[in-house]
Amino acid sequence: RCSNLQSGMDDSEFVLNQSSINPYILNIEYAVRGPIVANAQRIQSELDAGIPKPFTELIWCNIGDCHAMGQKPISFLRQVVALIVDPSLIESDSHYPADVKQRARRILDNGGGLQYSSEMLGLPVIRQDCANYIQDRDGVPCNPDSVILSTGAGEMIKELLQVFARLQPSASTVNGLQYGVMIPIPQYPMYSASITQYNLQSVHYYLDESDNWSLDLSELRRAYDEAVGKCEPRVLVVINPGNPTGQVLRKEVIEDVVRFAKEKNLFILADEVYQHNVYAEGAKFYSFKRVLHRLGPEFSTTVQLASLMSASKGYAGECGFRGGYCELLNPDARLQSLLYRQLANRGCPSVAGQAILDVIVNPPKPDEPSFAEHEREKSQVLGDLKLKAQMATETFNSIPGMRCNPVQGAMYAFPSIELPPKLIEEAKAKGMQPDAMYCTALLEEKGVCVVPGSGFGQRPGTYHFRMTILPPVDKLRQVMEQFRDFHQSFVNRFS
């Protein structure tokens, strides 16, 4: 804008300006990288420049980027990808174990070199490995033709939502209503942002905080019934294990969701990227596909389902490679044709992402040389996450005015905070959400960056924040002490 003024040009003189872009983009919000994170980046720059702060280090707890937070990469994954990046190492470097070389050769021999594009849906050999992984996980056959590889799960979520998009509400249905997408509240804000971008309508159903953020059938019915007439609900999003809430859904809850989707003829979008991240005693991950089949052909052959998995989460944490898959169940021929036409427009998913995903779904076998080290590293990562989940839960519940459900899975805590009326009034007078004011003060006084619950959605009158449990154990202990020092002190200022 400043350069426009200097050149004497007004925004309206440019071809691309605020009035000519997609109008739905103007309303997109994404709290995970919102204004508090921008403020944290400024503070980090000032720390780097030697400007004094009340703290010596800024601790980032705002985003689920495992390696950025200090998690060590899994050796086997990186070794295989190294050989795919530089195939000459397969013959010239004896440092790499035989099974690493075998995996790399197999991917390279099947078109997985980084110098090539892959097929539109991904390399067939990797789609087959994903199908084998799904079949082993669920005990249910998986056709590799139903598997679509993607540049991260996020890309595929947006592609699927875009299938339901209509540029004009009047074109979406006979009665002129937008299509509705049922999303949990709290939710991962990529969903609300994408729904806005594609001119869909968000239909909010609240997770039950009193039942460890579980999903209640009566709440689904309430949300659906209130939406009918305002939009036409078509998609039901479920995130399990939960982001930002860290819950793991019980099998009977998933059964209720499947029955509801069949009753209302809804497309289930099952975000299952955290399926390896389960920590709590008694908690167990059940895939939607597995439950669907256990309910019998009445459901397994009629309910449409997209199940998503990612290389960014789990024990691997390989966010930068951008690898993911989607298994699509029961698509009608027309839907599949349209989706594939849309996917053809993207070119191909990241080949490096496909390679890292392949190693995750096809890890070393017990009789292979890398097995022992791989299992040790995997156990270390998941064991540390379990310890940190317990640490966060126990600490938050020991601080007066805070309450946190057990972090059963994923990699986030979502505590509730009690804020005094004076603080709430002052925040609103400043045009801020009260929990955003809380998180801003925490950042500026203690150097801890978390995201306010208002960025994910929450019941009116409640306040939360989302914090990753990814910092190393010692650093997370430091964060917990910062919360002990900060919370009561901050709240008391407004008592």
Side-chain angles (χ1 to χ4, degrees), residues 378-390:
K378 176 181 176 181
S379 296
Q380 181 70 52
V381 169
L382 293 176
D384 282 353
L385 285 169
K386 180 177 181 178
L387 174 62
K388 292 184 285 188
Q390 294 169 341

PDB file of all heavy atoms in Angstrom, residues 378-390:
ATOM      1  N   LYS A 378      10.979 -44.780  17.735  1.00  0.00           N
ATOM      2  CA  LYS A 378       9.527 -44.600  17.746  1.00  0.00           C
ATOM      3  C   LYS A 378       8.990 -44.627  19.171  1.00  0.00           C
ATOM      4  O   LYS A 378       8.181 -43.771  19.573  1.00  0.00           O
ATOM      5  CB  LYS A 378       8.870 -45.691  16.902  1.00  0.00           C
ATOM      6  CG  LYS A 378       7.345 -45.670  16.904  1.00  0.00           C
ATOM      7  CD  LYS A 378       6.794 -46.822  16.057  1.00  0.00           C
ATOM      8  CE  LYS A 378       5.285 -46.894  16.127  1.00  0.00           C
ATOM      9  NZ  LYS A 378       4.748 -48.031  15.332  1.00  0.00           N
ATOM     10  N   SER A 379       9.456 -45.601  19.972  1.00  0.00           N
ATOM     11  CA  SER A 379       9.004 -45.713  21.361  1.00  0.00           C
ATOM     12  C   SER A 379       9.421 -44.502  22.184  1.00  0.00           C
ATOM     13  O   SER A 379       8.685 -44.049  23.060  1.00  0.00           O
ATOM     14  CB  SER A 379       9.556 -47.000  21.997  1.00  0.00           C
ATOM     15  OG  SER A 379       9.043 -48.135  21.336  1.00  0.00           O
ATOM     16  N   GLN A 380      10.606 -43.973  21.891  1.00  0.00           N
ATOM     17  CA  GLN A 380      11.087 -42.794  22.612  1.00  0.00           C
ATOM     18  C   GLN A 380      10.196 -41.592  22.345  1.00  0.00           C
ATOM     19  O   GLN A 380       9.789 -40.878  23.271  1.00  0.00           O
ATOM     20  CB  GLN A 380      12.523 -42.477  22.190  1.00  0.00           C
ATOM     21  CG  GLN A 380      13.142 -41.273  22.909  1.00  0.00           C
ATOM     22  CD  GLN A 380      13.419 -41.545  24.369  1.00  0.00           C
ATOM     23  OE1 GLN A 380      14.066 -42.539  24.693  1.00  0.00           O
ATOM     24  NE2 GLN A 380      12.932 -40.686  25.252  1.00  0.00           N
ATOM     25  N   VAL A 381       9.855 -41.381  21.079  1.00  0.00           N
ATOM     26  CA  VAL A 381       8.997 -40.245  20.708  1.00  0.00           C
ATOM     27  C   VAL A 381       7.631 -40.367  21.368  1.00  0.00           C
ATOM     28  O   VAL A 381       7.149 -39.439  22.029  1.00  0.00           O
ATOM     29  CB  VAL A 381       8.847 -40.151  19.175  1.00  0.00           C
ATOM     30  CG1 VAL A 381       7.745 -39.153  18.807  1.00  0.00           C
ATOM     31  CG2 VAL A 381      10.161 -39.731  18.535  1.00  0.00           C
ATOM     32  N   LEU A 382       6.981 -41.516  21.197  1.00  0.00           N
ATOM     33  CA  LEU A 382       5.638 -41.692  21.739  1.00  0.00           C
ATOM     34  C   LEU A 382       5.648 -41.736  23.260  1.00  0.00           C
ATOM     35  O   LEU A 382       4.706 -41.262  23.912  1.00  0.00           O
ATOM     36  CB  LEU A 382       5.003 -42.962  21.163  1.00  0.00           C
ATOM     37  CG  LEU A 382       4.711 -42.908  19.655  1.00  0.00           C
ATOM     38  CD1 LEU A 382       4.181 -44.239  19.158  1.00  0.00           C
ATOM     39  CD2 LEU A 382       3.724 -41.791  19.312  1.00  0.00           C
ATOM     40  N   GLY A 383       6.721 -42.303  23.849  1.00  0.00           N
ATOM     41  CA  GLY A 383       6.840 -42.315  25.310  1.00  0.00           C
ATOM     42  C   GLY A 383       6.985 -40.915  25.880  1.00  0.00           C
ATOM     43  O   GLY A 383       6.370 -40.584  26.910  1.00  0.00           O
ATOM     44  N   ASP A 384       7.796 -40.083  25.228  1.00  0.00           N
ATOM     45  CA  ASP A 384       7.947 -38.692  25.678  1.00  0.00           C
ATOM     46  C   ASP A 384       6.631 -37.932  25.557  1.00  0.00           C
ATOM     47  O   ASP A 384       6.270 -37.139  26.433  1.00  0.00           O
ATOM     48  CB  ASP A 384       9.032 -37.987  24.862  1.00  0.00           C
ATOM     49  CG  ASP A 384      10.436 -38.362  25.300  1.00  0.00           C
ATOM     50  OD1 ASP A 384      10.576 -39.061  26.326  1.00  0.00           O
ATOM     51  OD2 ASP A 384      11.402 -37.967  24.602  1.00  0.00           O
ATOM     52  N   LEU A 385       5.913 -38.154  24.451  1.00  0.00           N
ATOM     53  CA  LEU A 385       4.633 -37.478  24.283  1.00  0.00           C
ATOM     54  C   LEU A 385       3.641 -37.897  25.363  1.00  0.00           C
ATOM     55  O   LEU A 385       2.887 -37.070  25.882  1.00  0.00           O
ATOM     56  CB  LEU A 385       4.064 -37.775  22.891  1.00  0.00           C
ATOM     57  CG  LEU A 385       4.738 -37.041  21.726  1.00  0.00           C
ATOM     58  CD1 LEU A 385       4.273 -37.612  20.386  1.00  0.00           C
ATOM     59  CD2 LEU A 385       4.455 -35.546  21.780  1.00  0.00           C
ATOM     60  N   LYS A 386       3.645 -39.165  25.717  1.00  0.00           N
ATOM     61  CA  LYS A 386       2.755 -39.639  26.789  1.00  0.00           C
ATOM     62  C   LYS A 386       3.104 -38.959  28.112  1.00  0.00           C
ATOM     63  O   LYS A 386       2.217 -38.501  28.845  1.00  0.00           O
ATOM     64  CB  LYS A 386       2.866 -41.155  26.926  1.00  0.00           C
ATOM     65  CG  LYS A 386       1.972 -41.728  28.030  1.00  0.00           C
ATOM     66  CD  LYS A 386       2.068 -43.249  28.078  1.00  0.00           C
ATOM     67  CE  LYS A 386       1.153 -43.817  29.167  1.00  0.00           C
ATOM     68  NZ  LYS A 386       1.202 -45.305  29.203  1.00  0.00           N
ATOM     69  N   LEU A 387       4.401 -38.883  28.413  1.00  0.00           N
ATOM     70  CA  LEU A 387       4.843 -38.214  29.641  1.00  0.00           C
ATOM     71  C   LEU A 387       4.431 -36.753  29.644  1.00  0.00           C
ATOM     72  O   LEU A 387       3.930 -36.220  30.645  1.00  0.00           O
ATOM     73  CB  LEU A 387       6.359 -38.339  29.770  1.00  0.00           C
ATOM     74  CG  LEU A 387       7.018 -37.575  30.920  1.00  0.00           C
ATOM     75  CD1 LEU A 387       6.517 -38.073  32.270  1.00  0.00           C
ATOM     76  CD2 LEU A 387       8.550 -37.696  30.828  1.00  0.00           C
ATOM     77  N   LYS A 388       4.583 -36.083  28.499  1.00  0.00           N
ATOM     78  CA  LYS A 388       4.265 -34.656  28.417  1.00  0.00           C
ATOM     79  C   LYS A 388       2.750 -34.418  28.461  1.00  0.00           C
ATOM     80  O   LYS A 388       2.293 -33.408  29.011  1.00  0.00           O
ATOM     81  CB  LYS A 388       4.893 -34.058  27.157  1.00  0.00           C
ATOM     82  CG  LYS A 388       6.419 -34.013  27.230  1.00  0.00           C
ATOM     83  CD  LYS A 388       7.056 -33.332  26.045  1.00  0.00           C
ATOM     84  CE  LYS A 388       7.040 -34.178  24.812  1.00  0.00           C
ATOM     85  NZ  LYS A 388       7.846 -33.574  23.708  1.00  0.00           N
ATOM     86  N   ALA A 389       1.978 -35.357  27.906  1.00  0.00           N
ATOM     87  CA  ALA A 389       0.523 -35.252  28.002  1.00  0.00           C
ATOM     88  C   ALA A 389       0.076 -35.302  29.456  1.00  0.00           C
ATOM     89  O   ALA A 389      -0.776 -34.522  29.898  1.00  0.00           O
ATOM     90  CB  ALA A 389      -0.133 -36.376  27.196  1.00  0.00           C
ATOM     91  N   GLN A 390       0.671 -36.213  30.230  1.00  0.00           N
ATOM     92  CA  GLN A 390       0.345 -36.324  31.652  1.00  0.00           C
ATOM     93  C   GLN A 390       0.798 -35.084  32.415  1.00  0.00           C
ATOM     94  O   GLN A 390       0.077 -34.564  33.277  1.00  0.00           O
ATOM     95  CB  GLN A 390       1.006 -37.576  32.236  1.00  0.00           C
ATOM     96  CG  GLN A 390       0.450 -38.876  31.671  1.00  0.00           C
ATOM     97  CD  GLN A 390       1.290 -40.084  32.057  1.00  0.00           C
ATOM     98  OE1 GLN A 390       2.458 -39.966  32.435  1.00  0.00           O
ATOM     99  NE2 GLN A 390       0.701 -41.270  31.944  1.00  0.00           N
TER     100      GLN A 390
END
